[in-house]
Amino acid sequence: MIIIQCPCCGEDRHEEELTFGGEAEIIRPLEPAAVSDQVWTDYLYFRANPKGTHHEQWCCSGGCGQWFKVARDTVTHEVLEVVKFDKGLSA
Ligand SMILES: [Zn+2]
């Protein structure tokens, strides 16, 4: 079970109270029409799937409703770092 302390409301949330939003820090090209098909395809479909530390975005959907970022070990599910959405992860 994954338990994450929301950095916005400070409450511990079980994974049933959270919404997983996939990999964090995926940046949409500012001008989609100006990028190549490969760049657009990479943005839409390709995500990291590491064995180990992964940067993810989660929503405190059972609580305050805010999105935040998490560094999590995909093997052990250990939560390494949690930050508000406008902050960068260092783990
Ligand atoms: Zn919250």
Side-chain angles (χ1 to χ4, degrees), residues 6-11 13 60 63-66 68:
C6 175
C8 303
C9 66
E11 297 290 326
R13 300 282 176 208
C60 184
C64 68
Q66 295 296 305
F68 55 90

Side-chain angles (χ1 to χ4, degrees), residues 47-79:
R47 299 294 182 261
N49 189 20
K51 181 179 181 182
T53 302
H54 189 224
H55 291 182
E56 303 167 337
Q57 51 192 1
W58 290 78
C59 180
C60 184
S61 51
C64 68
Q66 295 296 305
W67 285 90
F68 55 90
K69 297 178 193 172
V70 173
R72 183 179 63 89
D73 188 306
T74 59
V75 177
T76 65
H77 298 299
E78 179 184 4
V79 174

